[in-house]
Amino acid sequence: MAEATDDRLRLLIERIERLEEEKKGIADDIRDVYAEAKAVGYDTKIMRQVIRLRKMKPDERSEQESILDTYKAALGMA
């Protein structure tokens, strides 16, 4: 039984290692796309913000924008 458990653990670890390597490859690809965008004149900082906003649910995004507007108004930035 211990051998079967050891084999299972080894297989799980190897799977995680493969996935981590894939994740690194994807992160490198994303970095390359941002570099390409920057090379043609896009603001990558803003692009990252847009991507973060697009991941949000519409009501979350709306609430966050409303709070931001409130804070800006309180600080005389509106």
Side-chain angles (χ1 to χ4, degrees), residues 14-31:
E14 288 172 355
R15 242 171 84 197
I16 291 169
E17 290 171 339
R18 279 193 306 274
L19 290 168
E20 288 289 341
E21 192 59 36
E22 289 176 27
K23 182 170 75 170
K24 182 187 176 306
I26 290 170
D28 290 344
D29 291 347
I30 291 170
R31 206 171 6 263

Side-chain angles (χ1 to χ4, degrees), residues 28-66:
D28 290 344
D29 291 347
I30 291 170
R31 206 171 6 263
D32 290 346
V33 173
Y34 278 116
E36 180 182 339
K38 186 174 185 175
V40 295
Y42 290 106
D43 185 325
T44 56
K45 190 174 186 179
I46 300 301
M47 288 176 65
R48 289 178 192 276
Q49 288 179 352
V50 168
I51 289 168
R52 184 176 46 81
L53 289 170
R54 286 171 52 110
K55 287 180 185 178
M56 289 182 180
K57 294 178 183 170
D59 57 326
E60 287 176 7
R61 186 172 50 242
S62 178
E63 180 183 349
Q64 199 172 73
E65 289 170 351
S66 176

